[in-house]
Amino acid sequence: MASQETNEGTAPGELDTRNQGQVEQVSESSLAPKNLSVMMYSDPGRTSWLVRRVLQQPERGRNADWARGGEVTHQQALVPLRDDATLDLDEAKRWSAESEADITVIITEIPRMAGERPKTAELHFSDRLAIISLPALGPWFILNSLRRELHRVVSAFLHESVEAARQYGGYSAHVEPQRGDDTFFISPGRVFPGRLWMTLGMVAANEPMWSLPKLSGVFAAAAATGAFGIFFTTIWEMASFLPLWRLAVVSVAAIAIVSAWLIISNRFWDRSASVGGAREAAMYNISTVVSMLTSVAALYFLLFVSILVVGLLLIEPGFMSDTLGSETSFLNYVEIAWLSASLGTFAGAVGSNFDDSVELKNLTQGSRELQRYPKDEEQR
């Protein structure tokens, strides 16, 4: 499989469309034209990174040769939205026509639903266009799932048959007609409820564990405040007297409050009018809350470990025993770090004001999609 990162496609091969909707008993290798060309467009960021991984990794597994040895051209492009918060299909079809490739595949992080079912892929036979939605693939094994969907859509176009999408992608998937005689959408089997599966995929797209560098101001303020717990004996005494369940409540409250502050202060809460409806807004907002809680919880854990290590290095056990009036143990150090990390996390909300607003705009699905809407002349 040859691949290149340019804007130029290869001249399309002649493919017969008269047998659309039927499965021909022909081998895949005989179906693939010698000059088969596949044009791939993908959203910037994680989506394009995953596509490059698929193109660069050594071929292996049953879906490895999804391009049938054809030439694959990849271009990074922000897939636009219409004013009603749906993918701009007219623009997608224009890209397909301009690519002049045999098959055009658009891979996007835009969540796409058909009622209660997530759309993993959409097939437009007359335009030789497939649109794959990454969130619909769920939160796990994304690379394998992406290869499977690529194999599925290419097989469908080569066979000129929607039945091939079922056969080569696994019979657990649902393939159903959409508006138009030659348009179909594919949704996964119901292992999870459709909206829950899509929401988990949206959380994965937000990459909460990799968002910590974007919250450097939060961590700096939290670390500076938490460090006082090492030097102030009042915090030692308070930590030793508080029961563990109270320390747990304080830490949960700190994580929840800072997460809420980040969502509110950066306007990450999506309204139904901006994302296509109340149910869609619920998906976006749930994914935002889960992503923020995960990021802040990871930051909290890093802060706790840092304070604990520094405390073990600087606080002499004998001095702590004299201060507390009792024998000390490792648990005392844990309690001090626990309370200090909670107090520091509260202060981290102030530090969020110093984080780069441009970086913060990419933390959630909804904030990234605001960049896709068409702009008038004053906004350009």
Side-chain angles (χ1 to χ4, degrees):
M1 177 179 66
S3 65
Q4 56 181 358
E5 298 265 349
T6 67
N7 296 332
E8 298 180 358
T10 305
E14 296 288 339
L15 296 179
D16 188 4
T17 61
R18 291 174 296 177
N19 295 322
Q20 181 181 305
Q22 303 176 9
V23 178
E24 299 180 13
Q25 300 300 319
V26 184
S27 66
E28 291 187 26
S29 59
S30 63
L31 281 167
K34 292 182 179 180
N35 63 336
L36 174 68
S37 59
V38 180
M39 182 68 195
M40 300 177 69
Y41 295 96
S42 62
D43 281 326
R46 172 178 178 265
T47 304
S48 288
W49 177 80
L50 289 170
V51 171
R52 288 192 291 269
R53 287 280 302 277
V54 168
L55 296 176
Q56 294 170 1
Q57 281 186 347
E59 296 185 354
R60 61 181 184 274
R62 60 181 298 227
N63 298 319
D65 190 23
W66 58 269
R68 311 300 192 277
E71 182 177 0
V72 179
T73 304
H74 174 221
Q75 179 179 339
Q76 180 174 284
L78 190 66
V79 182
L81 291 177
R82 295 193 183 107
D83 291 330
D84 61 357
T86 60
L87 183 142
D88 192 337
L89 191 56
D90 292 334
E91 184 71 6
K93 291 182 176 180
R94 186 179 69 81
W95 289 2
S96 178
E98 292 179 352
S99 72
E100 298 183 352
D102 296 317
I103 299 172
T104 300
V105 182
I106 294 177
I107 304 171
T108 179
E109 68 169 3
I110 299 173
R112 309 192 72 213
M113 298 288 295
E116 293 296 325
R117 292 182 177 178
K119 292 183 184 180
T120 57
E122 192 172 86
L123 300 169
H124 299 265
F125 280 93
S126 61
D127 297 285
R128 313 290 294 172
L129 168 67
I131 302 173
I132 297 175
S133 173
L134 276 184
L137 302 182
W140 304 295
F141 309 112
I142 302 298
L143 283 176
N144 290 335
S145 298
L146 180 55
R147 287 193 190 92
R148 181 197 66 221
E149 292 306 313
L150 289 169
H151 191 277
R152 190 202 305 269
V153 299
V154 171
S155 296
F157 287 133
L158 289 179
H159 286 81
E160 295 295 339
S161 166
V162 69
E163 291 299 325
R166 297 188 179 98
Q167 178 181 355
Y168 292 100
Y171 285 96
S172 62
H174 300 278
V175 182
E176 300 182 18
Q178 198 168 263
R179 291 191 304 270
D181 296 334
D182 65 343
T183 303
F184 300 83
F185 73 88
I186 303 166
S187 60
R190 290 184 174 274
V191 179
F192 284 86
R195 289 188 178 274
L196 173 61
W197 187 247
M198 176 77 83
T199 302
L200 292 175
M202 293 166 67
V203 173
N206 289 336
E207 298 183 288
M209 296 304 294
W210 295 101
S211 298
L212 295 184
K214 300 175 184 178
L215 298 174
S216 58
V218 175
F219 186 81
T225 304
F228 282 97
I230 299 174
F231 303 105
F232 280 80
T233 57
T234 303
I235 294 180
W236 299 4
E237 295 170 347
M238 186 181 299
S240 66
F241 279 104
L242 284 175
L244 296 181
W245 70 267
R246 283 183 180 270
L247 289 172
V249 169
V250 173
S251 61
V252 170
I255 292 171
I257 290 173
V258 172
S259 299
W261 172 257
L262 287 170
I263 292 171
I264 295 171
S265 64
N266 293 286
R267 299 179 182 178
F268 288 151
W269 196 257
D270 293 296
R271 301 178 183 275
S272 57
S274 63
V275 292
R279 290 185 297 181
E280 285 72 17
M283 290 170 52
Y284 279 76
N285 290 328
I286 291 171
S287 69
T288 295
V289 170
V290 173
S291 299
M292 286 293 102
L293 288 173
T294 303
S295 295
V296 176
L299 184 147
Y300 181 94
F301 178 76
L302 289 176
L303 183 62
F304 167 79
V305 172
S306 302
I307 294 174
L308 178 61
V309 170
V310 175
L312 289 170
L313 291 174
L314 295 183
I315 304 175
E316 205 277 328
F319 179 68
M320 183 186 292
S321 297
D322 293 340
T323 302
L324 298 179
S326 62
E327 290 294 324
T328 59
S329 65
F330 179 72
L331 180 60
N332 292 106
Y333 288 91
V334 171
E335 290 171 340
I336 292 171
W338 196 344
L339 181 58
S340 299
S342 298
L343 297 176
T345 301
F346 281 115
V350 177
S352 66
N353 296 324
F354 300 97
D355 283 315
D356 189 340
S357 60
V358 176
E359 289 289 333
L360 291 177
K361 286 180 180 178
N362 293 318
L363 280 176
T364 67
Q365 186 87 42
S367 58
R368 290 193 301 274
E369 291 192 7
L370 285 175
Q371 304 171 40
R372 302 175 183 269
Y373 284 100
K375 300 178 180 179
D376 55 33
E377 291 301 323
E378 294 182 357
Q379 295 173 308
R380 294 181 190 277

